[in-house]
Amino acid sequence: MDNEQVAAILQEIGTLLELKGENPFKSRAYANAARTLESLSEPLAQIVAENRLGQIKGVGEALQKKITELVQTGKLVYYDELKASLPAGLLEMLTIQGLGPKKVKALYDKLGIENMDQLESACQAGKVAVLEGFGDKSQANILAGIAFRRKYATRHLLPDALAAAQPILEALRDHPEVIRCGPAGSVRRHKEIIGDIDFLASSKKPAGVIDYFTRLPGVTQVLAKGDTKASVILPGGIQADLRVVSDLEFPFALAYFTGSKEHNIVMRQRAIQRGLRLNEYGLFRSQEETRDPALLVPCPTEEEIFSQLGLAYIPPELREDQGEFAAAEQGAIPRLLEWTDLKGSLHNHSVWSDGRGTLAEIAACMEDLGCAYWAITDHSKSSIQANGLDSQRLQQQLQEIQQVNNQLADQGTDFRLLSGVEVDILGEGRLDFEDELLSRLEVVVASLHQGFTQNEAETTRRLIRAAENPFVHMLGHLTGRLLLEREPYAVNQRAVIDACAATGTWIELNAHPYRFDLDWRLWSYARSKGVRCVINCDAHRHEDAGFLRLGAGIARKGWLTRQDVVNTLPLAQLKQALAAKRSAAK
Ligand code: DGT
Ligand code: CA
Ligand code: CA
Ligand code: ZN
């Protein structure tokens, strides 16, 4: 068990003890110890092995025993028993706004309420209002808090969060008392799923900025409001927090609130190793926690903070503690892909299957957006629900693409449509079309759209067989996941990546925000195997071209550079790249 896991359990023990009504000093001791363990610079396993737990401040004998048990066995009998002694629903009740351990304990002791549903019924029956320490207002607040939790499931797709954040950021930039501002948190790190939006601003008059923020159009509810921070609900039910700091503090607060939490922990450890302390207020020449301005190491920008800690600048997308520190120490952070490097998308649909635009409309629109090419890869015949093309219609479409391209050439335009198909991968990895037909198409994407229920070995075999076909350029949306809707199907992704490496097959990064598939966490592995990425819109309408930008952000999270991404190539080179696998197979 690593330091973080041990810290999380100690933290939870503190909460459970509070719920049991134990001595507050006891529960606080656990919470404090958890914080201390989080910022340790060496693994607990080593400290335990060398019998040095006693040297850590705030870790007495009883805690030493428990930490040792956790580190050595991965379990703690005391914790398991404590947890079993209370209903599991109590912890969930703590997530309701305004309900702390004391109140949850009172509700449990006096009314026997064990979970959120029971709490809701009790409130509706008026039983909570009459309890000592509660009252009508408190009961109404609890009901509102429960409704809120239900309605606003706290996970949102990235583009929804970006769309909600955009007008707020513009409004903040317009405010005369705002010096610097920007997004932080998971939005700035370009995570595929967002819990809440975090804004940060610097100002000499924070209270005025907070007031302005809570009154902005689009703020549907104010959850909390103080002098320097506020939480609100934006359209779509997304929660947004704003913190306002001094401009001196801004870079430190930005680094802190950008996270991730895991990344921050390593940053703090690095500071401690250098005899410094890093927190949201600054970097201080101090051996203990402080925010004393006299001890501050001034850093006008985030770059300077990294530099003080012996690191090259780490782009926000990489701040996940996934190897960025080793790279930044050696000055080996790659120059990441920019979305403007992308020249077009190689997996898109038209009215011929389930898309909206005609071929001529798509060509005009994508040319206008500045693309160099756009592949038309409509569905194949087995995708009946998506109006998939049979071989005859596909051949008609080929002719129409030729006509559109001829017209483009006559107009002296360099933009071209590319012919193609998104061919279904059928049972045992057979494809929906014969090789002969595939060989006449410029771009072949092979995707799984059916038979998800099969076991992992079978699905993996199907994908590998598709990759082995010399006419398949790339595998589409490898895991079939639909974020917040459908789990990925069981597939051994690394085995498929290995097969793509062996056969010279590319893998799609499907940039549809429901998919972002292949996941960013796997691209480092694919890259290490020499597998190239294609960032595709899977466009069904013109607006979907905007997915290229989102996909590029996900590719950046996957450490990808321009060289790793096929559709950064200009048309002539792309055509060579498309020909390579086929000629190698001859
Ligand atoms: P989200 O909102 O779930 O999508 O993810 P984040 O990363 O935006 O998380 P959030 O909003 O809870 O907090 C924003 C950042 O603040 C987070 O990435 C790191 C920092 N932060 C928050 N709480 C802690 C903490 O307990 N310890 C440390 N080290 N950092 C924290
Ligand atoms: Ca957040
Ligand atoms: Ca937050
Ligand atoms: Zn598709």
Side-chain angles (χ1 to χ4, degrees):
M1 214 176 236
D2 67 21
N3 297 18
E4 233 183 288
Q5 292 167 315
V6 174
I9 289 181
L10 296 188
Q11 180 80 45
E12 198 178 322
I13 291 176
T15 308
L16 290 167
L17 288 173
E18 256 190 283
L19 284 173
K20 291 207 84 139
E22 292 270 359
N23 178 340
F25 288 105
K26 198 169 159 188
S27 61
R28 211 171 307 153
Y30 280 93
N32 289 341
R35 280 196 72 143
T36 308
L37 297 194
E38 251 195 9
S39 58
L40 281 181
S41 53
E42 41 175 346
L44 274 170
Q46 190 176 333
I47 301 178
V48 168
E50 294 171 16
N51 221 348
R52 288 187 284 112
L53 269 182
Q55 294 168 13
I56 302 173
K57 225 178 102 198
V59 177
E61 249 182 70
L63 264 166
Q64 288 174 36
K65 267 190 160 168
K66 295 190 174 86
I67 294 170
T68 305
E69 192 182 337
L70 275 170
V71 169
Q72 288 178 343
T73 69
K75 281 179 49 159
L76 177 58
V77 176
Y78 172 76
Y79 167 65
D80 292 344
E81 286 175 350
L82 185 62
K83 225 176 144 165
S85 71
L86 288 165
L90 295 188
L91 287 175
E92 192 197 9
M93 284 163 65
L94 282 173
T95 64
I96 299 165
Q97 193 104 22
L99 270 193
K102 268 208 196 79
K103 285 196 165 172
V104 170
K105 177 174 164 30
L107 291 162
Y108 175 54
D109 285 347
K110 293 180 185 157
L111 298 175
I113 293 172
E114 297 189 352
N115 57 46
M116 200 134 94
D117 289 347
Q118 292 175 359
L119 178 59
E120 184 173 41
S121 311
C123 286
Q124 280 158 352
K127 290 182 190 160
V128 172
V130 296
L131 273 189
E132 195 190 330
F134 284 84
D136 280 333
K137 193 164 169 224
S138 170
Q139 175 172 284
N141 282 343
I142 292 172
L143 273 177
I146 293 173
F148 176 80
R149 289 265 331 160
R150 296 240 167 90
K151 186 165 172 199
Y152 303 126
T154 54
R155 284 150 61 79
H156 306 273
L157 294 174
L158 176 64
D160 297 342
L162 290 173
Q166 185 62 26
I168 305 287
L169 277 172
E170 279 167 19
L172 285 172
R173 285 196 188 105
D174 280 349
H175 192 285
E177 295 293 342
V178 168
I179 305 166
R180 287 188 265 185
C181 72
S186 49
V187 169
R188 185 163 181 241
R189 301 199 315 281
H190 211 91
K191 275 285 292 284
E192 70 279 30
I193 300 290
I194 303 299
D196 69 0
I197 303 173
D198 302 278
F199 296 111
L200 186 70
S202 64
S203 174
K204 287 183 178 145
K205 296 182 177 165
V209 177
I210 290 289
D211 200 52
Y212 169 78
F213 170 68
T214 56
R215 289 164 199 266
L216 283 176
V219 168
T220 58
Q221 196 186 339
V222 179
L223 300 173
K225 184 180 168 190
D227 287 342
T228 59
K229 57 183 181 186
S231 294
V232 303
I233 298 294
L234 299 178
I238 303 186
Q239 181 173 330
D241 299 338
L242 169 67
R243 284 183 188 73
V244 186
V245 300
S246 74
D247 203 54
L248 198 65
E249 286 172 346
F250 186 82
F252 304 104
L254 183 61
Y256 181 87
F257 290 111
T258 295
S260 65
K261 199 176 160 192
E262 294 74 15
H263 170 95
N264 286 354
I265 287 170
V266 180
M267 290 287 280
R268 285 207 307 262
Q269 288 168 351
R270 290 188 71 94
I272 290 169
Q273 284 160 7
R274 286 165 175 72
L276 303 169
R277 282 282 163 162
L278 178 67
N279 56 37
E280 59 189 287
Y281 308 106
L283 180 66
F284 299 95
R285 292 186 206 290
S286 165
Q287 306 282 355
E288 51 203 53
E289 274 304 306
T290 179
R291 50 187 293 192
D292 181 354
L295 302 174
L296 184 75
V297 180
C299 296
T301 60
E302 273 188 332
E303 277 85 347
E304 184 62 28
I305 304 173
F306 285 113
S307 160
Q308 289 287 347
L309 299 181
L311 297 166
Y313 179 72
I314 299 174
E317 296 93 333
L318 300 188
R319 300 184 195 169
E320 302 286 354
D321 192 19
Q322 300 267 336
E324 70 269 28
F325 290 102
E329 251 175 17
Q330 297 156 17
I333 297 277
R335 185 172 168 176
L336 301 178
L337 174 85
E338 305 279 345
W339 80 273
T340 46
D341 293 334
L342 296 172
K343 304 271 193 297
S345 161
L346 299 185
H347 169 183
N348 310 288
H349 301 272
S350 74
V351 283
W352 286 71
S353 65
D354 59 350
R356 290 285 174 81
T358 66
L359 300 185
E361 286 165 0
I362 293 172
C365 175
M366 300 313 157
E367 204 264 307
D368 198 43
L369 287 177
C371 291
Y373 44 80
W374 199 258
I376 304 295
T377 57
D378 277 308
H379 290 283
S380 62
K381 59 181 185 291
S382 290
S383 281
I384 296 160
Q385 74 295 340
N387 191 26
L389 278 60
D390 59 18
S391 90
Q392 201 187 347
R393 283 178 68 218
L394 186 55
Q395 295 181 61
Q396 287 168 6
Q397 189 188 50
L398 262 176
Q399 288 174 7
E400 191 179 315
I401 288 173
Q402 195 54 53
Q403 284 165 13
V404 172
N405 279 340
N406 288 344
Q407 280 166 9
L408 290 166
D410 289 346
Q411 293 159 11
T413 309
D414 293 332
F415 175 89
R416 290 293 178 273
L417 289 181
L418 297 172
S419 66
V421 72
E422 179 181 18
V423 65
D424 271 344
I425 303 172
L426 309 174
E428 287 108 46
R430 282 174 296 113
L431 298 180
D432 206 7
F433 285 127
E434 297 296 324
D435 285 359
E436 192 279 322
L437 180 53
L438 296 180
S439 75
R440 288 194 276 145
L441 302 168
E442 290 176 290
V443 179
V444 176
V445 185
S447 306
L448 271 182
H449 289 116
Q450 49 207 328
F452 298 152
T453 52
Q454 284 156 335
N455 62 35
E456 175 177 317
E458 174 60 20
T459 305
T460 305
R461 255 197 311 278
R462 284 169 73 191
L463 285 162
I464 290 175
R465 272 205 61 189
E468 284 166 354
N469 183 305
F471 300 101
V472 168
H473 292 110
M474 69 196 89
L475 299 181
H477 46 69
L478 199 68
T479 76
R481 73 175 182 189
L482 294 179
L483 292 167
L484 304 182
E485 261 176 46
R486 184 174 81 201
E487 291 298 310
Y489 37 72
V491 53
N492 182 341
Q493 299 187 65
R494 284 171 195 258
V496 178
I497 291 169
D498 292 346
C500 288
T503 56
T505 309
W506 305 327
I507 295 180
E508 169 179 272
L509 194 174
N510 190 299
H512 195 296
Y514 276 108
R515 294 190 182 268
F516 291 143
D517 185 8
L518 198 64
D519 189 277
W520 57 269
R521 297 161 186 84
L522 277 153
W523 281 108
S524 286
Y525 180 74
R527 184 179 186 229
S528 75
K529 293 279 163 173
V531 175
R532 297 180 83 189
C533 167
V534 189
I535 300 176
N536 284 328
C537 295
D538 198 352
H540 286 76
R541 56 188 76 204
H542 298 332
E543 305 89 275
D544 296 353
F547 297 163
L548 280 182
R549 188 174 193 162
L550 295 170
I554 298 291
R556 288 168 65 86
K557 276 195 98 53
W559 291 66
L560 297 184
T561 69
R562 196 173 62 161
Q563 286 70 35
D564 301 316
V565 179
V566 175
N567 49 326
T568 59
L569 295 173
L571 183 59
Q573 283 168 260
L574 174 74
K575 286 193 167 178
Q576 284 171 14
L578 286 165
K581 181 178 172 185
R582 291 175 177 184
S583 45
K586 271 184 195 145

